[in-house]
Amino acid sequence: MATYFTSDMHFGHTNIIRFCDRPFDDVGHMNARLAELWNDTVSDDDTVWVLGDVALGALDDSLTWIGRLTGHKILVPGNHDRCWVGDRALGRGTPEARAERREKARARYLAAGFAEIHDDPGRFPIAGSEAAVSHFPFSGDSHGEDRYVEHRPEDDGGWVLHGHVHDTWRQRDRQLNVGVDAWGGRPVAVDRLAALIADGPRDLEPLTWDLPAGLSRP
């Protein structure tokens, strides 16, 4: 039984292909390759922490891909997930109406195949220490100026496992981006992240996407 981290799959999101220069000619190919890479990496006995931004587009269709993925799946919602605590649609109306919308949103993701949803997972034991776990890094963004500052973890001098920045970096100082755009489309094993922490703070570029033999970028 192994533990993996990943984030920012963006199932069903056509524009992410252009935004992040993903090597696919349409969203159907992207969805299928993401699922193939996941299932080639993760066994049914493994656990995968998904640090947000699972699916966009027609959500009911996009979320069906979660049920096709192996392993015990834990979601830490990101800013594009409808069950995220900061989602504007959850913040309107009476407290009762907000709570009802929140539960309905969470139910959609659980029904799609997530076993657990952790709004604030706190810290994860890794490399003899503990790292913060969040959709967001301490600082930095894929859109220039930092967004959602109030939802970011506090930099206490330790490490953070995060998503959100897509192909901006794989590692920046003590920030480890576990997103698919940084790891060739695959979830990354906790042992690989522990090795990076053991090597200390530095900057690393994203890995190239893992494509089938003989297939080049479109």
Side-chain angles (χ1 to χ4, degrees):
M1 294 184 289
T3 299
Y4 293 85
F5 282 83
T6 192
S7 74
D8 300 278
M9 293 93 77
H10 283 238
F11 283 113
H13 187 199
T14 300
N15 285 339
I16 200 67
I17 296 172
R18 175 171 54 87
F19 291 158
C20 293
D21 193 28
R22 292 187 178 182
F24 307 103
D25 52 13
D26 60 48
V27 72
H29 290 150
M30 179 187 77
N31 291 344
R33 185 58 179 163
L34 282 168
E36 184 178 31
L37 290 170
W38 177 302
N39 291 337
D40 184 55
T41 304
V42 177
S43 75
D44 286 331
D45 294 330
D46 295 335
T47 296
V48 185
W49 287 77
V50 180
L51 304 190
D53 288 7
V54 173
L56 282 85
L59 195 60
D60 287 336
D61 292 335
S62 301
L63 281 178
T64 62
W65 285 93
I66 302 306
R68 307 179 195 185
L69 306 177
T70 50
H72 180 90
K73 299 175 283 288
I74 301 173
L75 175 62
V76 178
N79 56 288
H80 285 298
D81 297 314
R82 304 286 176 83
C83 59
W84 179 50
V85 294
D87 189 276
R88 286 177 292 181
L90 300 178
R92 297 193 294 265
T94 65
E96 293 79 11
R98 293 197 299 270
E100 183 178 0
R101 283 197 299 271
R102 182 86 188 288
E103 286 308 307
K104 287 182 177 179
R106 291 171 65 89
R108 293 176 77 180
Y109 286 80
L110 292 171
F114 283 104
E116 306 172 41
I117 299 175
H118 293 207
D119 295 319
D120 182 13
R123 308 185 71 82
F124 187 89
I126 184 171
S129 183
E130 291 187 331
V133 175
S134 171
H135 175 66
F136 303 101
F138 296 137
S139 63
D141 205 292
S142 59
H143 284 62
E145 183 177 354
D146 287 5
R147 299 168 295 163
Y148 313 109
V149 174
E150 68 275 19
H151 295 284
R152 292 172 182 255
E154 180 181 357
D155 185 352
D156 59 0
W159 291 75
V160 61
L161 311 180
H162 67 88
H164 188 62
V165 299
H166 290 279
D167 55 354
T168 309
W169 69 77
R170 181 162 47 112
Q171 178 177 345
R172 177 172 290 179
D173 194 28
R174 292 172 286 103
Q175 304 183 131
L176 292 176
N177 171 25
V178 301
V180 294
D181 295 292
W183 289 93
R186 296 178 182 268
V188 54
V190 71
D191 289 348
R192 294 191 69 180
L193 297 172
L196 292 178
I197 291 175
D199 287 340
R202 56 179 170 165
D203 292 349
L204 293 175
E205 295 295 317
L207 301 178
T208 58
W209 275 81
D210 190 345
L211 297 175
L215 182 65
S216 60
R217 298 180 65 92

